[in-house]
């Protein structure tokens, strides 16, 4: 098997949904309107991802840094996420979509915590698309929690320090069991990762799109997939090298 493949359909696409505020401002609307339209774009993207047979779609819904926004906007964003789960959970379940949530769950209010658990439990046996919602998520925090969990086990004598390997860290991240993203998309023209999937992005392809998130639709999604499929991925190998797996 070659580890240097002309990219085929991605298995996992992750999206930094940026530009809701600017979309609203451009139209003289309050920021919440941008976020509301952003939820419509989420629905359309989830449908498109399911249609093309994608296995994992990760959406950066709320970062651990987003708490710094004005309380009213934080409440709007939390309200939209709760409403999305309440309204769309049954349909997503019917469409065989599994929901997983990544991020720090410990500091969340009981009501949102219960909703996230309900979404994960209800859909846990679904086998089509896995929709990964990054909520109260920060990559450095995720890596620090994984490191702390390994350190605890070393201190307790459960594992030896030599067992602290990249694979062991990967297995203790919130994304355990989820393959690394093949493609990371960020909308709105900004070109940075903003503490999103830092560990998992080691070999991801990146696509920065000028459109604001509320304008992202199935056409943009399929065009992003097409662009990804023109890329050559080498995973540190050479362009014309064909490696035997495990060699
Ligand atoms: C960035 O736009 C977007 C967010 C911080 C939140 C994204 C959330 C949603 C689309 C709604 C809820 C999510 C789900 C999964 C239902 P920004 O406000 O930073 O825009 P700006 O940079 O133009 O100000």
């Amino acid at each position: 098997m070659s580890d240097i493949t002309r990219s085929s359909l991605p298995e996992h696409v992750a999206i930094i949904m940026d530009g809701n505020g600017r979309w609203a401002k451009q139209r003289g609307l309050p920021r919440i309107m941008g976020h509301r339209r952003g939820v419509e774009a989420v629905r359309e993207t989830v449908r498109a991802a399911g249609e093309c047979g994608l296995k994992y779609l990760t959406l950066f819904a709320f970062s651990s840094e987003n708490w710094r926004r004005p309380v009213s906007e934080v409440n709007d964003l939390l309200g939209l996420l709760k409403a999305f789960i309440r309204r769309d959970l049954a349909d997503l379940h019917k469409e065989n979509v599994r929901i997983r949530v990544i991020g720090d769950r410990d500091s969340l209010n009981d009501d949102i915590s219960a909703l996230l658990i309900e979404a994960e439990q209800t859909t846990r046996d679904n086998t089509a698309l896995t929709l990964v919602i990054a909520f109260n998520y920060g990559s450095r925090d995720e890596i620090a929690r994984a490191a702390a969990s390994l350190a605890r086990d070393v201190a307790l004598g459960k594992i030896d320090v030599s067992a602290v390997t990249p694979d062991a860290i990967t297995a203790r991240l919130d994304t355990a069991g989820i393959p690394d993203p093949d493609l990371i998309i960020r909308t709105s023209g900004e070109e940075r990762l903003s503490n999103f999937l830092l560990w998992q992005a080691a070999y991801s392809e990146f696509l920065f799109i000028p459109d604001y998130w509320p304008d992202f639709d199935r056409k943009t999604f399929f065009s992003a997939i097409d662009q990804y499929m023109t890329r050559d991925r080498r995973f540190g190998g050479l362009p014309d090298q064909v490696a035997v797996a495990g060699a």
Side-chain angles (χ1 to χ4, degrees), residues 49-80:
E51 277 169 35
C52 77
L54 194 77
K55 292 306 289 176
Y56 298 89
L57 174 70
T58 298
L59 299 177
F60 203 0
F62 193 89
S63 79
S64 41
E65 289 75 34
N66 284 152
W67 298 107
R68 294 183 197 144
R69 294 189 177 203
V71 178
S72 60
E73 181 161 345
V74 168
N75 287 337
D76 286 342
L77 284 168
L78 299 188
L80 285 175

Side-chain angles (χ1 to χ4, degrees), residues 17-23 31 35 38-39 42 59-61 66 69 73 77 80-81 84 133 213:
M17 310 180 287
D18 198 8
N20 294 350
R22 278 164 285 168
W23 182 94
R31 291 177 60 85
H35 296 313
V39 177
V42 165
L59 299 177
F60 203 0
N66 284 152
R69 294 189 177 203
E73 181 161 345
L77 284 168
L80 285 175
L81 181 78
F84 172 76
I133 301 176
W213 175 250

Side-chain angles (χ1 to χ4, degrees), residues 1 50 54 110 198 202 215 218 243:
M1 188 189 127
L54 194 77
D110 288 350
L198 302 180
D215 289 328
R218 52 185 293 115

